[in-house]
Amino acid sequence: MLKGFKDSISKIFSNRKVDQETLDEFEELLIKSDIDLGTAEEIIKKLGLKRFGESFSPENVQNALEEIISEILTPCEKKINYSDSESPLVLMFMGVNGSGKTTTIAKIANNFIQENKKVLLVAADTFRAAASEQLEEWSKKIDADILKGEEGSDPASVVFKSVEESKLKEYGAIIIDTAGRLHTRNDLMDQLGKINRVLNKTNENFPHETIITIDATTGQNAVKQVEEFNKYARISGIILTKFDTSASGGTLISIAEKIKLPILGVGNGEKISDYYEFNAKIFSKSIFESSN
Ligand SMILES: Nc1nc2c(ncn2[C@@H]2O[C@H](COP(=O)(O)OP(=O)(O)O)[C@@H](O)[C@H]2O)c(=O)[nH]1
Ligand SMILES: [Mg+2]
């Protein structure tokens, strides 16, 4: 949701020729919507506003813009591939504190459970007892099993245990919640790599997805977050959270244009059902529809 985006476009382009001033104002609007400068320039270039000529109207600009955004996002569309033949599906979540890891895990786990899949949640956040308590609360609500590490224990060993446990109980999915961390803390970031390596040793296909949650309100720093986490544990999918509270779908557009990593889904609320699979066309449309 680029708040007021539609109105702003109307204002900028109403009764005017496309001159430099209009283009500058439009660029400013894109940047205010958390689209980085390079991506904003690319969008404006693609839009080729001057070609609109006589048929120029804010609606034309909006439609063309929607198409361009959709083109940027479409190559990033990806679905979590849940195939029963290769059980369990292992998903590892990472991201900065408060970015929505635990909530998103609950949402996705709940979807699996609705499809009669047996889910094990793994609380690999062993730094804070409160973190595993939060996951435990969700596990009760959605009726999923949970494995918790003791406070202060090695997160990688908890993850290893979860794979062992899964062999006995035949889980359909293992979803791992890791401690929130700042990408500037090398020691903690190294730990993510370790969790990934431990999983990979137990089965070369594990984890099937290494997912980063990005808070839509993060703004321009989101690109940096994705780049840094990706250095330690290769990201296979991005989930944008808090899209409901955000003034800026621009974050995701920048990530797609600059980093071109797959996007799996969008969280749009705190409730268990507030999640949908990412679809470039629908997302591009929603940017305009939801503006107010
Ligand atoms: N409005 C809104 N709030 C969310 C969304 N996802 C998570 N939250 C809230 O953001 C806060 C942090 O989420 P949490 O899952 O604990 O983040 P974590 O620290 O990464 O595990 C909590 O208050 C969640 O309820 C979302 O899509 N929309
Ligand atoms: Mg958490």
Side-chain angles (χ1 to χ4, degrees), residues 69-169:
I69 292 172
S70 179
E71 269 170 30
I72 292 174
L73 294 173
T74 297
C76 298
E77 265 178 19
K78 183 182 176 186
K79 286 191 173 24
I80 295 174
N81 183 11
Y82 193 107
S83 88
D84 285 318
S85 56
E86 220 218 302
S87 215
L89 176 77
V90 179
L91 310 180
M92 172 178 145
F93 276 74
M94 58 188 189
V96 301
N97 247 332
S99 61
K101 290 179 295 297
T102 306
T103 311
T104 307
I105 285 170
K107 291 172 182 178
I108 289 179
N110 187 54
N111 286 344
F112 286 161
I113 290 165
Q114 299 304 313
E115 295 165 25
N116 290 319
K117 285 155 188 159
K118 207 172 152 191
V119 177
L120 177 64
L121 302 179
V122 184
D125 183 346
T126 52
F127 285 107
R128 300 174 306 136
S132 46
E133 278 160 22
Q134 193 194 353
L135 192 67
E136 191 164 30
E137 270 170 40
W138 275 118
S139 77
K140 284 179 190 149
K141 276 188 205 152
I142 64 176
D143 208 12
D145 287 356
I146 182 167
L147 181 71
K148 291 191 294 179
E150 267 173 47
E151 206 173 337
S153 65
D154 181 359
S157 76
V158 184
V159 168
F160 181 78
K161 265 188 218 149
S162 75
V163 176
E164 292 294 300
E165 184 140 327
S166 181
K167 285 178 192 156
L168 301 173
K169 297 198 178 158

Side-chain angles (χ1 to χ4, degrees), residues 20-247:
Q20 195 53 45
E21 196 188 330
T22 322
L23 289 179
D24 288 347
E25 270 183 43
F26 182 52
E27 185 173 278
E28 201 178 306
L29 172 67
L30 294 177
I31 289 167
K32 266 193 209 148
S33 312
D34 284 337
I35 293 174
D36 67 282
L37 181 61
T39 306
E41 283 171 350
E42 191 59 29
I43 288 174
I44 289 172
K45 201 169 83 195
K46 281 188 184 150
L47 200 54
L49 279 169
K50 293 194 170 126
R51 80 188 146 89
F52 284 97
E54 291 296 302
S55 67
F56 179 83
S57 76
E59 287 73 33
N60 288 341
V61 176
Q62 189 192 308
N63 289 338
L65 192 57
E66 196 179 304
E67 224 167 83
I68 289 167
I69 292 172
S70 179
E71 269 170 30
I72 292 174
L73 294 173
T74 297
C76 298
E77 265 178 19
K78 183 182 176 186
K79 286 191 173 24
I80 295 174
N81 183 11
Y82 193 107
S83 88
D84 285 318
S85 56
E86 220 218 302
S87 215
L89 176 77
V90 179
L91 310 180
M92 172 178 145
F93 276 74
M94 58 188 189
V96 301
N97 247 332
S99 61
K101 290 179 295 297
T102 306
T103 311
T104 307
I105 285 170
K107 291 172 182 178
I108 289 179
N110 187 54
N111 286 344
F112 286 161
I113 290 165
Q114 299 304 313
E115 295 165 25
N116 290 319
K117 285 155 188 159
K118 207 172 152 191
V119 177
L120 177 64
L121 302 179
V122 184
D125 183 346
T126 52
F127 285 107
R128 300 174 306 136
S132 46
E133 278 160 22
Q134 193 194 353
L135 192 67
E136 191 164 30
E137 270 170 40
W138 275 118
S139 77
K140 284 179 190 149
K141 276 188 205 152
I142 64 176
D143 208 12
D145 287 356
I146 182 167
L147 181 71
K148 291 191 294 179
E150 267 173 47
E151 206 173 337
S153 65
D154 181 359
S157 76
V158 184
V159 168
F160 181 78
K161 265 188 218 149
S162 75
V163 176
E164 292 294 300
E165 184 140 327
S166 181
K167 285 178 192 156
L168 301 173
K169 297 198 178 158
E170 298 186 333
Y171 286 103
I174 301 177
I175 311 183
I176 300 158
D177 195 5
T178 62
R181 61 200 76 214
L182 276 179
H183 52 275
T184 44
R185 283 283 303 271
N186 289 349
D187 50 338
L188 295 182
M189 294 295 282
D190 275 335
Q191 215 172 58
L192 289 174
K194 185 174 173 193
I195 294 174
N196 242 335
R197 283 193 299 279
V198 164
L199 281 169
N200 201 249
K201 265 191 191 153
T202 64
N203 181 323
E204 60 179 12
N205 296 319
F206 291 175
H208 296 91
E209 299 285 354
T210 302
I211 299 169
I212 186 168
T213 47
I214 293 288
D215 178 338
T217 61
T218 309
Q220 310 253 355
N221 189 37
V223 171
K224 187 87 197 139
Q225 274 177 23
V226 172
E227 281 172 346
E228 287 302 314
F229 273 87
N230 198 33
K231 283 184 197 161
Y232 291 86
R234 196 147 284 278
I235 296 167
S236 69
I238 296 166
I239 293 178
L240 187 75
T241 61
K242 309 189 194 178
F243 191 47
D244 53 310
T245 65
S246 158

